[in-house]
Amino acid sequence: MQNSKHIHLIGICGTAMASLAGMLQLQGHRVTGSDTAAYPPMSDLLASLKIPIREPFSESNLEPRPDLVVVGNAISRGNVELEYVLDTRIPFCSMASILHDEFLPGRESLVVAGTHGKTTTTSMLAWIYEVASRQNPALAPSFLIGGVAENFGTSFMVRSTRPFLLEGDEYDTAFFDKGPKFLHYFPDALILTHVEFDHADIYADLGAVKTAFKRLVNLVPGRGRIVAFDGSENVSECIEKAFCAVERYGFDPLSHWRLADLRHEGALTRWTVTRAGAPFADLSLPMAGAHNALNATAAAALAAGQGVPTGAIVEALATFKSVKRRLEVRSVVGGVTVIDDFAHHPTAIRETLRALRESYPNRRLWAVLEPRSNTLRRNVFELDLVDSLALADRVVLASVFKSESIPTDERLHPEHVVSALNKRGVPASLLADADAIVGAVVPELREGDVVAILSNGGFGNIYGKLPAAIAGRTSRT
């Protein structure tokens, strides 16, 4: 698009959609948008950009008539704005397609994909490039991340330089394009972190998920490169027919990029990396968890292979500030630490709780879970969920988010999870919503407790209500 246009985004509060809104605004377009579920951090991002969120969905939101409408992948037929767009033939497209057409021509597309870790890894990679650009301005990155990278205070950046870093989402693209968004990004180089069954609402089984990732691998040109985790048979299967160089990373002695001597010092993690058997660097990261050390190594490996100096990689990881809603400390009040984490899958919950055990040894750990993602709302991972939550000392489950939209025979029954945890000796309870949880949990909290709030949504603003209630209790004592 050469000229400024009025572009309207239906579903603007989605993580990628809000970021796209900012990117389009930077390109000189007039941006409007609508949604029904505005909550931080993306509502805060849009407010900072002075892009209003029109609520609720309405035909009037499309007046005056926009030149183009971007339809978010959460928008389905029956949405009043989408129906108006179709009836009146306003031109429309998907987020992924406008990103490809508007921003990627002439760029070096560096994509981070995988069931877990892609937001954090993309943020690490962006910060590595940013630090390297202080010596070499040509390395200054453009990026689109599925979360707010705290080193930048934003989830996107658009520059005139070549590197464009993208979080590659395997979720579908739009109501009219059911393929994964990452198939629009045509990577020159790719990180593949993990491959597991997820997104049970759009993928029938693990085989379907692997097919999607195999198609992504097939898009990497022969001159390109793939950095792939070596601890997953699913990842190995997805890359076995790659036409480009593949470099594995992990703890295996034969890994091209091998992590060794991993040690945790509170919230600081240190380890050594070798490259093809030769010393590469001693790395440190102000984050806990072996999974974050793996993420950092993947980012380091891709950057190094693209010519980023080792010194910049070491400095960037040592100064990395994480991502909003990834092990984010929301408050410390009354001696209680409240953590916010974007939980969407039992594996992610397991790694989050393990990391918190490392960061807060000898502290009582609470897990407060809202089953909200399309995977967690289903019973496909019920046993895995029990195993993950059992890492906590106390567990509280909320009711399944919009449970009525899930068929009864597919629906997670949180009472089964609670019962199984109690049988294991892990005190667990089921409470209806955020208000009920705050009312029941606050009297039980004691100084030194760590409360992990696990949800990929707004969770009834429990992130604000819980600390406020703790503070109120403290002021009365």
Side-chain angles (χ1 to χ4, degrees), residues 89-427:
R89 290 304 182 194
I90 300 174
F92 65 91
C93 67
S94 69
M95 182 280 294
S97 64
I98 193 173
L99 180 64
H100 173 271
D101 295 344
E102 178 90 0
F103 298 98
L104 294 186
R107 310 273 191 166
E108 180 183 51
S109 175
L110 306 176
V111 177
V112 179
T115 310
H116 312 296
K118 52 185 175 287
T119 301
T120 301
T121 306
T122 312
S123 300
M124 290 172 170
L125 186 62
W127 186 236
I128 287 170
Y129 268 79
E130 185 71 14
V131 170
S133 72
R134 296 169 185 169
Q135 297 298 321
N136 182 358
L139 293 174
S142 300
F143 58 81
L144 176 60
I145 302 170
V148 176
E150 293 185 348
N151 287 94
F152 297 94
T154 184
S155 57
F156 68 92
M157 190 75 71
V158 180
R159 269 101 166 226
S160 59
T161 46
R162 275 184 52 79
F164 206 116
L165 285 50
L166 291 156
E167 177 175 336
D169 186 3
E170 69 271 24
Y171 207 74
D172 61 4
T173 301
F175 81 96
F176 56 90
D177 179 356
K178 306 313 289 183
K181 287 196 283 290
F182 59 37
L183 295 184
H184 291 266
Y185 300 158
F186 296 94
D188 293 292
L190 170 69
I191 292 174
L192 185 51
T193 61
H194 292 268
V195 176
E196 288 192 71
F197 181 56
D198 196 7
H199 308 303
D201 54 322
I202 63 169
Y203 290 107
D205 50 32
L206 176 60
V209 174
K210 289 191 286 191
T211 295
F213 282 101
K214 289 175 183 178
R215 288 173 176 166
L216 174 63
V217 166
N218 200 43
L219 292 177
V220 183
R223 59 171 171 76
R225 192 165 55 98
I226 296 174
V227 174
F229 179 49
D230 70 1
S232 165
E233 292 182 3
N234 294 333
V235 171
S236 297
E237 180 182 336
C238 290
I239 62 172
E240 64 183 2
K241 294 184 179 179
F243 278 81
C244 64
V246 176
E247 298 171 1
R248 308 300 295 270
Y249 71 95
F251 295 100
D252 191 287
L254 298 179
S255 295
H256 188 88
W257 298 91
R258 184 194 178 200
L259 295 81
D261 193 22
L262 183 71
R263 53 206 184 276
H264 303 289
E265 302 169 6
L268 180 68
T269 304
R270 299 183 186 275
W271 71 103
T272 298
V273 176
T274 57
R275 180 183 191 178
F280 173 71
D282 293 322
L283 298 178
S284 65
L285 182 72
M287 296 177 71
H291 66 297
N292 281 319
L294 285 165
N295 293 336
T297 302
L302 189 79
Q306 301 302 112
V308 175
T310 304
I313 294 170
V314 173
E315 179 184 349
L317 293 177
T319 56
F320 182 66
K321 294 182 180 179
S322 191
V323 184
K324 288 286 187 183
R325 306 206 66 195
R326 291 342 186 250
L327 290 174
E328 179 184 1
V329 177
R330 293 293 288 260
S331 70
V332 179
V333 57
V336 177
T337 302
V338 179
I339 306 286
D340 177 9
D341 196 74
F342 190 85
H344 71 289
H345 188 282
T347 299
I349 292 171
R350 181 192 70 209
E351 295 304 319
T352 290
L353 296 179
R354 282 179 176 172
L356 291 174
R357 286 290 190 200
E358 294 160 358
S359 296
Y360 301 95
N362 305 316
R363 303 271 289 271
R364 189 168 66 158
L365 177 59
W366 292 71
V368 179
L369 172 67
E370 180 190 35
R372 188 177 182 116
S373 73
N374 285 314
T375 294
L376 285 180
R377 292 193 299 152
R378 289 169 164 80
N379 58 23
V380 62
F381 284 129
E382 194 168 283
L383 295 178
D384 302 83
L385 184 58
V386 172
D387 288 340
S388 296
L389 291 171
L391 294 172
D393 298 304
R394 299 286 190 277
V395 176
V396 180
L397 264 70
S399 298
V400 175
F401 181 73
K402 293 186 177 179
S403 62
E404 69 281 356
S405 65
I406 306 295
T408 303
D409 61 340
E410 297 179 18
R411 188 183 307 161
L412 175 74
H413 292 283
E415 64 273 15
H416 296 170
V417 177
V418 166
S419 176
L421 286 166
N422 283 319
K423 288 178 181 178
R424 290 194 186 191
V426 180

Side-chain angles (χ1 to χ4, degrees), residues 53-117:
I53 305 168
R54 298 176 180 176
E55 299 180 81
F57 293 120
S58 169
E59 291 182 7
S60 63
N61 295 337
L62 294 158
E63 297 173 0
R65 178 186 173 103
D67 299 301
L68 179 67
V69 170
V70 182
V71 182
N73 71 337
I75 305 304
S76 304
R77 287 299 304 267
N79 176 284
V80 62
E81 291 187 27
L82 174 57
E83 295 304 313
Y84 184 76
V85 166
L86 294 173
D87 286 341
T88 59
R89 290 304 182 194
I90 300 174
F92 65 91
C93 67
S94 69
M95 182 280 294
S97 64
I98 193 173
L99 180 64
H100 173 271
D101 295 344
E102 178 90 0
F103 298 98
L104 294 186
R107 310 273 191 166
E108 180 183 51
S109 175
L110 306 176
V111 177
V112 179
T115 310
H116 312 296

